[in-house]
Amino acid sequence: MAAGKRESLGRGLGALLGGESAAATAASAAAEGGKATRTLPIEFLHPGRYQPRRTIGEEQVRDLAASIREKGVLQPILVRRHPTIADAYEIIAGERRWRASQLAQLHEVPVIIKDLNDQETLEIALIENLQRENLSPLDESEGYARLMEEFAYTQEALAKSLGKSRSHVANMMRLLNLPEAVKELLDGGAISTGHARALLAASDPAALAREVVKKGLNVRQTEKLVGKAEKGGVSAAAAKPAAQAKDTDTLALERDLGNMLGLKVDIRFTGKGGSLTIHYNNLEQLDDVLHRLSHGAHGHATGSQEGSDGE
């Protein structure tokens, strides 16, 4: 995607969803072949393949349907021509409005039709939900991962495109490493994103998560619980110098890299810099690490390591 278009996506959806003046909208529609708001039969619309939200709450849809019955659909649904179904349209942003309109028994809905490729479609769907601040942490994380996996984004480029910090993107994506039991607690609201981030540093996040919920611990208390569990108790923790203590993000990053490489990883910060140590037991493991770091340029005598958590 061109840099200008990517930056425009990062600024949001104002120009796409009604932020322009009426005159500007009319002029834009004329220039783009009549892409102003219009109505379409509701059956012409289909759910988007790039919808970042895994679940849409039934209660929210019912509440929205009640509002639509009274006031109509106030914000048009953003769509593109369906890539595989003739005379049909794929929803980019507004699937909940579409479902609520069905429940309200509308026959037509207002739409804005845009000519977008798959990458732009996923970006806008993700941005739209992020700007509404009603996307779950795991939905947000999976949206980031999908943009990186399917469209070869780096974390830095993705953060810039979406108007987020690189550290925010990195921290959110780490949530995908949590066990399913912990993800369910996060999805259900039993624990917060802060709790989940603290649990990433634990050897057994699921067990500690259950304890956190049972005791009603806050995030700070959860961090202390994880630290105590990982250091073998209070006495072992007290025996370590305070300067050597690592925060939860560092411990989580060590765990992520260790899982990816299948080896023990140690990260230490010293002022503005620091060191990254990868522990290996034999030359085959060293050869595998060099092969990964050089993206295959380094000769790999032993073949790829099976069973690792690849990129």
Side-chain angles (χ1 to χ4, degrees):
M1 185 192 303
K5 184 172 287 186
R6 180 170 290 168
E7 289 174 1
S8 70
L9 289 175
R11 287 196 299 270
L13 297 177
L16 292 176
L17 298 178
E20 300 173 297
S21 66
T25 300
S28 175
E32 297 183 15
K35 293 180 183 175
T37 301
R38 55 178 292 190
T39 58
L40 285 175
I42 200 166
E43 65 269 20
F44 282 22
L45 275 59
H46 296 263
R49 294 173 297 164
Y50 294 102
Q51 163 67 264
R53 193 186 305 279
R54 293 169 300 160
T55 58
I56 297 179
E58 293 184 5
E59 183 176 351
Q60 292 178 321
V61 172
R62 287 195 297 269
D63 290 344
L64 183 55
S67 173
I68 288 174
R69 289 189 192 100
E70 181 179 351
K71 301 177 181 178
V73 181
L74 300 181
Q75 187 176 60
I77 299 170
L78 185 63
V79 302
R80 66 172 181 169
R81 294 193 180 276
H82 203 287
T84 60
I85 303 176
D87 300 323
Y89 296 85
E90 182 180 28
I91 298 171
I92 299 171
E95 182 175 337
R96 186 161 52 183
R97 273 165 276 157
W98 174 68
R99 294 186 182 278
S101 297
Q102 290 178 303
L103 192 60
Q105 298 183 331
L106 296 189
H107 299 293
E108 294 182 329
V109 289
V111 302
I112 294 177
I113 303 172
K114 282 288 181 178
D115 182 16
L116 300 171
N117 60 33
D118 289 349
Q119 180 174 334
E120 293 167 323
T121 296
L122 178 54
E123 281 184 323
I124 290 178
L126 183 59
I127 292 169
E128 197 264 355
N129 280 285
L130 288 175
Q131 289 188 341
R132 292 176 183 277
E133 298 182 350
N134 58 5
L135 200 60
S136 77
L138 290 175
D139 285 344
E140 180 180 346
S141 302
E142 290 178 356
Y144 293 158
R146 194 168 182 183
L147 281 166
M148 293 185 67
E149 292 168 5
E150 297 187 23
F151 303 110
Y153 271 93
T154 62
Q155 285 188 358
E156 184 174 358
L158 178 58
K160 183 177 180 181
S161 177
L162 299 177
K164 301 287 183 178
S165 68
R166 192 206 62 78
S167 61
H168 173 82
V169 172
N171 287 332
M172 293 304 294
M173 289 188 64
R174 288 177 193 161
L175 300 179
L176 298 178
N177 295 324
L178 289 167
E180 287 302 318
V182 182
K183 289 181 180 179
E184 290 177 3
L185 293 174
L186 180 58
D187 260 343
I191 61 174
S192 68
T193 303
H195 288 108
R197 286 180 58 188
L199 291 167
L200 280 166
S203 299
D204 190 353
L208 292 186
R210 290 191 293 270
E211 187 172 349
V212 167
V213 173
K214 182 179 180 180
K215 296 181 178 179
L217 303 182
N218 61 31
V219 174
R220 184 60 178 165
Q221 290 169 328
T222 301
E223 290 176 345
K224 291 181 178 180
L225 177 67
V226 171
K228 180 179 178 180
E230 295 306 296
K231 294 173 184 177
V234 176
S235 58
K240 287 183 176 276
Q244 293 183 2
K246 298 179 181 179
D247 61 26
T248 56
D249 285 341
T250 301
L251 292 171
L253 186 56
E254 286 181 342
R255 181 182 178 86
D256 291 349
L257 288 173
N259 288 337
M260 181 182 297
L261 297 173
L263 300 171
K264 180 182 177 182
V265 173
D266 183 54
I267 298 174
R268 295 189 180 277
F269 292 102
T270 55
K272 293 183 178 180
S275 63
L276 168 65
T277 304
I278 301 173
H279 301 267
Y280 62 91
N281 297 319
N282 52 56
L283 292 179
E284 289 183 356
Q285 290 182 341
L286 174 61
D287 181 69
D288 184 69
V289 171
L290 294 176
H291 181 77
R292 290 166 180 260
L293 294 177
S294 65
H295 299 285
H298 173 78
H300 202 321
T302 61
S304 61
Q305 183 178 8
E306 296 182 357
S308 65
D309 296 329
E311 298 177 1

